[in-house]
Amino acid sequence: FWINISMLCTFWTWGLINPHLVRLGFTPERLIALGLPSSFVLLTIMIVAGGRLSTLATPLLALYCMSCSFVSLAQPAVGMAFPQALAGRALSAYNLVIFAGVFCVQWGIGLLIDGFKAAGWGEVAAYQGAMSVLLACCMASHAYFLWAKPHNQGS
């Protein structure tokens, strides 16, 4: 419940402050580049702490989800990158890719956890291993985002 409330407040806050940030020169790309690494720090804390987080699990997960919301700033940028007549189609395709991707990531994490447990890892270690793979993939994706951005200006 509290994680959902925090996410609702996060997206509401983005809606309120984003126009002001744009006027100050903070593009979605810049906000993603600067803000998303905070999610890597929080995920690392949760991975390292493992099962010792019982009392802090909900607040840390809420903060992690809130810090991941920087990526959501890409959606309006996608719509604005296309002519008005094509923006709806572009956003529909974007949403389809996002939902398919989220499903694959969640399914993949479950497979990793099961695979690690089948390899003899304990419950907590299997989760730590799966979340470490997630962290590595997220960091690699962010590095590619930072590297590829200048090469995508004309396309």
Side-chain angles (χ1 to χ4, degrees):
F1 174 77
W2 291 113
I3 291 171
N4 287 326
I5 292 294
S6 68
M7 290 308 299
L8 180 67
C9 293
T10 298
F11 289 119
W12 176 69
T13 303
W14 275 124
L16 288 176
I17 67 170
N18 205 30
H20 302 292
L21 292 172
V22 169
R23 282 195 292 277
L24 293 173
F26 287 93
T27 63
E29 294 88 355
R30 185 174 176 200
L31 289 168
I32 292 168
L34 295 173
L36 192 58
S38 62
S39 70
F40 307 151
V41 171
L42 289 164
L43 186 54
T44 301
I45 290 169
M46 290 186 288
I47 291 168
V48 171
R52 298 182 304 269
L53 281 179
S54 59
T55 58
L56 295 176
T58 299
L60 271 175
L61 280 171
L63 285 172
Y64 172 70
C65 291
M66 292 166 66
S67 66
C68 289
S69 74
F70 283 94
V71 174
S72 70
L73 299 173
Q75 185 174 18
V78 167
M80 294 175 11
F82 287 87
Q84 189 173 7
L86 297 175
R89 292 180 195 168
L91 287 170
S92 293
Y94 179 85
N95 285 333
L96 177 64
V97 169
I98 290 296
F99 283 112
V102 167
F103 170 78
C104 290
V105 168
Q106 290 175 347
W107 184 56
I109 289 171
L111 287 176
L112 283 169
I113 292 167
D114 289 344
F116 289 140
K117 286 168 51 175
W121 293 27
E123 183 92 13
V124 172
Y127 275 86
Q128 287 174 308
M131 298 312 275
S132 295
V133 171
L134 173 66
L135 177 61
C137 290
C138 289
M139 291 175 70
S141 297
H142 189 65
Y144 179 76
F145 170 78
L146 296 174
W147 173 80
K149 189 179 113 194
H151 304 288
N152 291 330
Q153 295 296 330
S155 46

